[in-house]
Amino acid sequence: MGREVSESCIDSLLTVMVSTYCNRFYANKPELAARRIEAIGYQVGHQLSERYTMERPRFSDHLEAIKFICKDFWFELFKKQIDNLKTNHRGTFVLQDNRFCWLTRMSIDQSPENGTSEELSIMADNKAMQSMHLYFPCGIIRGALSNLGIPCAVSADISNLPACSFVIRIKA
Amino acid sequence: MIVCVAVVGHQNNPLYIQSFTDADDALKLHHIVHCSLDVVDERVNNPKKSGPTLNETFLGLLYPTENYKVYGYLTNTKVKFILVTTDLDVRDADVRNEVPCCIC
């Protein structure tokens, strides 16, 4: 367990992965590319959760497992914890990270509010590309939770970079 | 002396079983491991033992048979480690320390 990897390598690897899947493998099928990337994240999360829960006592309920994801798991992955956790106590959790590590190198569009239709469509493309990058961490969260016995669906929301929030819906 | 080690996945599927005795006993040891899975499930689902033991990963002595003692360890991902030993005077604490070493 002593091997280390540089963070910028991981950053570049993920950027290349997203662009390869979107532009080469599934060039005109963004939904398939998204599902594939999410599946890769699922496997990674599955295996990571096995490793990081090794020493801990078992979780008593779903909230404990989510708190583990917010604190220890996120800390192991990104050297920081989730900044804000909200729940409706009915199976939905919102995890907010104010400075998500893999989005920090992404440019923020500073376009004016009444842009031309061309600019708006470019903005929409950019938004789509940015959300592609979030399928991998969504998959990681989903994989980790399903290995802990909690089947769920995870989606991400980027209203303001570099903050992003992950919405976890536990399947009853 | 440990006679059998088994790793069982979260759907009670065997991932690894290894016996360390002569060949005749192997099937009997597999049966013992199989029976102990029920005991593990019972311990986990039964909240009567709530308190300090509820969330422990190490489940301790599951049940003694005529010649063997069976210990269990349950991870967060519902992977079960079953240890069958013959030592009649081995203590819980010793086994408790050995299991995390096996995992690494």
Side-chain angles (χ1 to χ4, degrees):
Chain A
M1 287 229 256
R3 291 191 295 190
E4 292 182 346
V5 160
S6 88
E7 285 184 11
S8 48
C9 277
I10 295 275
D11 225 346
S12 314
L13 176 66
L14 294 174
T15 317
V16 168
M17 172 176 80
V18 172
S19 87
T20 317
Y21 271 94
C22 291
N23 302 332
R24 281 183 40 206
F25 294 161
Y26 298 103
N28 295 325
K29 301 172 231 167
E31 304 85 29
L32 288 185
R35 277 178 38 193
R36 197 72 189 85
I37 296 176
E38 212 253 353
I40 297 176
Y42 180 89
Q43 279 221 310
V44 173
H46 205 267
Q47 290 160 350
L48 283 180
S49 72
E50 186 85 56
R51 183 184 288 193
Y52 294 147
T53 56
M54 216 164 62
E55 300 289 319
R56 303 180 42 98
R58 285 182 289 123
F59 302 121
S60 40
D61 63 358
H62 292 343
L63 185 59
E64 290 287 318
I66 299 278
K67 276 160 53 171
F68 160 76
I69 299 277
C70 292
K71 297 194 204 166
D72 301 320
F73 193 74
W74 219 251
F75 188 77
E76 296 276 359
L77 287 181
F78 305 114
K79 302 270 194 333
K80 65 183 284 285
Q81 298 183 354
I82 287 275
D83 298 306
N84 203 349
L85 170 65
K86 293 192 272 258
T87 173
N88 70 349
H89 294 290
R90 262 190 289 254
T92 304
F93 297 86
V94 180
L95 276 59
Q96 183 168 337
D97 190 337
N98 291 335
R99 199 166 179 276
F100 188 50
C101 167
W102 292 334
L103 294 180
T104 50
R105 306 272 171 252
M106 238 183 246
S107 60
I108 305 179
D109 275 324
Q110 309 277 2
S111 36
E113 285 181 5
N114 352 330
T116 63
S117 63
E118 212 177 84
E119 285 174 19
L120 285 176
S121 74
I122 292 180
M123 262 187 66
D125 282 342
N126 285 345
K127 268 274 186 248
M129 193 39 74
Q130 285 161 5
S131 56
M132 268 303 171
H133 285 265
L134 287 173
Y135 282 112
F136 187 68
C138 287
I140 292 184
I141 298 177
R142 189 169 74 91
L145 285 175
S146 75
N147 205 10
L148 298 173
I150 306 176
C152 58
V154 184
S155 59
D157 164 47
I158 26 160
S159 345
N160 41 332
L161 287 177
C164 75
S165 43
F166 296 96
V167 181
I168 302 179
R169 282 180 199 91
I170 298 190
K171 298 183 186 163
Chain B
M1 194 185 66
I2 299 182
V3 288
C4 180
V5 173
V7 181
V8 181
H10 71 100
Q11 283 163 337
N12 284 343
N13 48 319
L15 299 171
Y16 175 77
I17 301 188
Q18 179 72 49
S19 349
F20 302 104
T21 65
D22 314 328
D24 290 358
D25 267 3
L27 190 59
K28 185 164 123 185
L29 293 170
H30 290 194
H31 284 151
I32 292 181
V33 168
H34 195 258
C35 296
S36 62
L37 295 179
D38 281 334
V39 181
V40 172
D41 282 337
E42 197 187 292
R43 289 271 179 100
V44 165
N45 294 334
N46 223 341
K48 71 169 162 58
K49 287 204 164 193
S50 60
T53 55
L54 181 58
N55 292 330
E56 275 268 332
T57 48
F58 182 66
L59 301 170
L61 182 65
L62 294 179
Y63 69 101
T65 67
E66 69 269 12
N67 299 327
Y68 308 113
K69 291 163 98 176
V70 183
Y71 290 89
Y73 181 97
L74 179 66
T75 69
N76 264 309
T77 52
K78 305 283 180 285
V79 173
K80 306 163 186 74
F81 288 77
I82 311 282
L83 238 64
V84 183
T85 74
T86 54
D87 279 341
L88 294 174
D89 55 357
V90 74
R91 286 164 313 169
D92 264 9
D94 297 338
V95 187
R96 191 188 289 254
N97 293 337
E98 280 172 25
V99 176
C101 305
C102 299
I103 298 177
C104 302

